[in-house]
Amino acid sequence: MQVLSNLEYEDFKKTISSPRLRVYESHCANAHQTVELYFFNIKLSESFLTPIEFCEVTLRNAVAEILILKYGNEWFYHPTLKRALTLNKLKELELV
């Protein structure tokens, strides 16, 4: 990665925010290392997105399967489940 000038680093810091960068700065000797660590963390975080999304879909499908077994294909309209919803959530459900 290209080395940032002090002015560029200050702009970067304003964009990202000083409080957020403080965590990275506390582990680094200079601005260049701070930026490198920041972008490394972004790449690391991105590497978890697909597995997390996969888990989310798997969990939603498993919950839906159980609800279908217990309340039928239109489980979302079942009176027992509808009673558990707030008025706002019921209105949202009716819009879908």
Side-chain angles (χ1 to χ4, degrees):
M1 173 178 279
Q2 175 184 339
V3 177
L4 298 175
S5 70
N6 286 341
L7 183 57
E8 290 171 323
Y9 182 70
E10 288 306 314
D11 287 342
F12 177 75
K13 198 173 187 174
K14 284 178 190 173
T15 301
I16 303 302
S17 88
S18 290
R20 182 174 188 89
L21 277 184
R22 247 182 248 126
V23 174
Y24 298 93
E25 290 171 334
S26 69
H27 296 283
C28 299
N30 56 49
H32 176 74
Q33 286 181 358
T34 301
V35 172
E36 288 284 328
L37 182 59
Y38 182 79
F39 283 102
F40 171 78
N41 186 57
I42 288 173
K43 288 181 182 181
L44 182 63
S45 298
E46 287 174 346
S47 73
F48 286 100
L49 288 178
T50 299
I52 289 171
E53 289 169 353
F54 183 76
C55 289
E56 179 205 353
V57 170
T58 303
L59 179 61
R60 275 192 285 131
N61 288 342
V63 169
E65 285 178 25
I66 291 167
L67 290 170
I68 288 168
L69 286 173
K70 184 161 177 115
Y71 299 109
N73 284 333
E74 295 191 357
W75 57 266
F76 34 88
Y77 292 120
H78 196 280
T80 301
L81 296 175
K82 285 178 86 170
R83 280 194 298 272
L85 298 174
T86 63
L87 188 56
N88 285 341
K89 292 297 178 187
L90 278 171
K91 289 179 183 176
E92 285 178 30
L93 183 60
E94 290 169 5
L95 293 174
V96 181

